[in-house]
Amino acid sequence: MNISFDDLHKAFESRIRLGIMSVLAVNESLDFTALKEFLDVTDGNLATHLKKLEKEEFISVEKSFIDNKPNTKYSMTPNGKEAFDNHLQALEAIIKSQKES
Amino acid sequence: MKEQRDYIQDIAEIRSMMERSSKFASLSGWAGILAGIYALGGAFAAYILFGFNPDELNYTSSNLTNVILLAIGVLGLALITAIYLSWRKARSKDEKVWNATSKRLLISMAIPLVSGGVLILVLLAHGLTGLAAPLMLIFYGLALVNAGHFTISEVKIMGIVQITLGLLSTWFIEYGLLLWAAGFGAVHIIYGIYMHFRYER
């Protein structure tokens, strides 16, 4: 049982970070505005969580300009995908084991 | 340590975020019903007012321009209705219609629709009027199958039905207008009613 809890990654403790990873799992890449709309959070809040995920190398950031306006696209790295999948499996394992006990 | 229901909540959250960010759910059943009614009206008007009923590939009609204008009118009306009703539905759920998913939905539909549209115009210029109705059904069907990846999967099934009707109608050119009315009219209405009862009540 304690093995499962170790598999839960600390980076995913926040609902917003979990949300970012879920959205990026099914979308190839998304810009800041799209993420903000899906997650319904403020700019600053989202930026902080994105920074954190970037530091973990779970997401990659690609900056570009569209019509002279900065546009930042975020996508999931293979690293991030692995961590997210492990996290999901750990969640399922915990729920299953708690239901049995 | 978190409670079990917290983990269940996490999983529910993940599922809902994935669903919401990859599927466009604001398409209204009423848009389908109304589009179907416009199409039936358009087909009827083309037949009654302009005597338009292609029965062979090389079909000439003195009213061809009128029929094309009528078709564009029907398409425009259906689009405006769909956009307006989607916008209203999205607003009532406090979501935006114009998001990353709807953008991708539109692009995936536009590619087959524009290529089909250009092809049909070229064929019309060569007098192959009989192929217009079947090709409209086929390319619209392809657009729907494509769009089905980004919205409810029933749209894919509707696409396959339209493609089948289109292929049938390339063989039975004389029933082109009738099959067009069946595809764009009846199928839309049936789909709209299904959507309305399945997802909106």
Side-chain angles (χ1 to χ4, degrees):
Chain A
M1 173 126 182
N2 32 15
I3 337 156
S4 317
F5 283 104
D6 290 342
D7 288 339
L8 287 177
H9 203 288
K10 274 214 291 290
F12 301 135
E13 257 164 24
S14 136
R15 280 276 153 75
I16 294 172
R17 288 202 287 272
L18 197 59
I20 295 171
M21 293 305 275
S22 320
V23 173
L24 288 178
V26 286
N27 291 279
E28 212 175 301
S29 74
L30 285 173
D31 60 21
F32 192 86
T33 334
L35 279 173
K36 204 178 83 171
E37 274 168 20
F38 285 136
L39 294 160
D40 203 19
V41 284
T42 60
D43 283 20
N45 201 351
L46 179 59
T48 319
H49 287 297
L50 285 170
K51 266 265 137 50
K52 168 101 185 169
L53 287 172
E54 198 190 336
K55 215 178 255 169
E56 297 275 357
E57 290 180 350
F58 285 173
I59 58 173
S60 64
V61 183
E62 191 191 319
K63 289 192 169 132
S64 66
F65 285 88
I66 295 176
D67 297 332
N68 284 328
K69 275 189 214 140
N71 180 277
T72 320
K73 275 190 181 287
Y74 298 90
S75 46
M76 201 181 239
T77 60
N79 235 348
K81 171 131 186 42
E82 206 191 319
F84 184 62
D85 286 346
N86 288 341
H87 185 78
L88 288 187
Q89 273 170 15
L91 279 180
E92 272 171 28
I94 289 168
I95 288 167
K96 214 178 271 169
S97 70
Q98 291 197 345
K99 258 184 197 152
E100 277 160 11
S101 64
Chain B
M1 194 127 307
K2 288 211 260 182
E3 292 285 315
Q4 181 195 352
R5 60 166 188 278
D6 277 327
Y7 294 123
I8 292 177
Q9 179 71 35
D10 274 3
I11 287 193
E13 182 105 344
I14 290 167
R15 198 171 288 155
S16 122
M17 285 311 305
M18 284 178 163
E19 186 84 13
R20 233 157 31 98
S21 68
S22 64
K23 298 256 184 246
F24 180 70
S26 297
L27 206 59
S28 146
W30 275 106
I33 298 173
L34 288 172
I37 293 170
Y38 303 153
L40 285 182
F44 195 67
Y47 183 66
I48 299 290
L49 294 179
F50 305 132
F52 183 80
N53 190 19
D55 47 8
E56 49 189 313
L57 292 182
N58 270 299
Y59 179 84
T60 43
S61 161
S62 51
N63 280 316
L64 187 59
T65 322
N66 287 332
V67 174
I68 293 175
L69 289 176
L70 179 70
I72 293 172
V74 168
L75 177 69
L77 206 59
L79 276 179
I80 292 168
T81 309
I83 292 169
Y84 172 70
L85 290 175
S86 297
W87 171 77
R88 221 181 51 171
K89 191 172 166 186
R91 199 186 49 175
S92 73
K93 287 191 298 183
D94 218 21
E95 277 174 23
K96 291 210 170 113
V97 214
W98 191 237
N99 60 21
T101 317
S102 58
K103 264 179 238 175
R104 259 181 308 181
L105 176 79
L106 280 187
I107 293 167
S108 67
M109 279 193 93
I111 294 169
L113 282 185
V114 171
S115 30
V118 172
L119 177 67
I120 289 166
L121 287 178
V122 172
L123 293 180
L124 284 179
H126 285 285
L128 291 166
T129 314
L131 280 176
L135 287 180
M136 276 167 93
L137 285 166
I138 291 173
F139 279 94
Y140 180 58
L142 290 172
L144 290 179
V145 171
N146 237 0
H149 299 303
F150 304 109
T151 181
I152 53 163
S153 54
E154 281 89 340
V155 168
K156 247 182 239 177
I157 298 166
M158 177 158 75
I160 290 165
V161 172
Q162 304 281 16
I163 294 171
T164 313
L165 287 173
L167 289 174
L168 265 179
S169 129
T170 47
W171 188 256
F172 302 104
I173 292 288
E174 64 273 29
Y175 294 111
L177 191 66
L178 199 67
L179 286 166
W180 189 93
F184 283 94
V187 171
H188 270 155
I189 293 173
I190 294 167
Y191 165 82
I193 292 172
Y194 171 81
M195 281 275 288
H196 186 67
F197 282 97
R198 174 90 161 71
Y199 294 104
E200 287 166 34
R201 280 169 35 116

